[in-house]
Amino acid sequence: MSTQYTNQPTGQQSASTGNVLSIIAIVLGVVSLLFLPIVFGLIGLVLAIVAKTVRHERLSTIAIVVSAVGLIGGMILGALVVNT
């Protein structure tokens, strides 16, 4: 269905404007708190930065913060567990 004034379809947004990379980055950031923070945290951070710069996703800022906190927090938590 098209609107009366333009040829653009109405209704759902296209798949390219989704937040897929941001959601994956958020999940990886949370996982990095407990498992391999350097691996999962860095992958999440890279995906979040790509989501912000290339795809302009809305949740990308949240994903950057969660991934960075997961990366740093996971390393601190791992250091505390190893030293005790």
Side-chain angles (χ1 to χ4, degrees):
M1 176 177 191
S2 296
T3 61
Q4 181 178 350
Y5 302 105
T6 63
N7 289 330
Q8 295 191 3
T10 59
Q12 297 284 331
Q13 290 182 348
S14 66
S16 65
T17 60
N19 290 311
V20 175
L21 288 181
S22 296
I23 292 171
I24 293 171
I26 290 170
V27 170
L28 288 174
V30 171
V31 168
S32 71
L33 278 171
L34 299 175
F35 304 107
L36 299 171
I38 294 175
V39 174
F40 290 123
L42 282 179
I43 293 172
L45 198 57
V46 167
L47 284 178
I49 291 170
V50 168
K52 177 99 174 155
T53 57
V54 176
R55 297 190 49 166
H56 306 290
E57 294 181 5
R58 292 185 302 150
L59 294 176
S60 60
T61 305
I62 296 169
I64 290 172
V65 171
V66 169
S67 295
V69 168
L71 174 66
I72 295 169
M75 288 191 298
I76 291 172
L77 187 63
L80 289 175
V81 168
V82 169
N83 286 332
T84 57

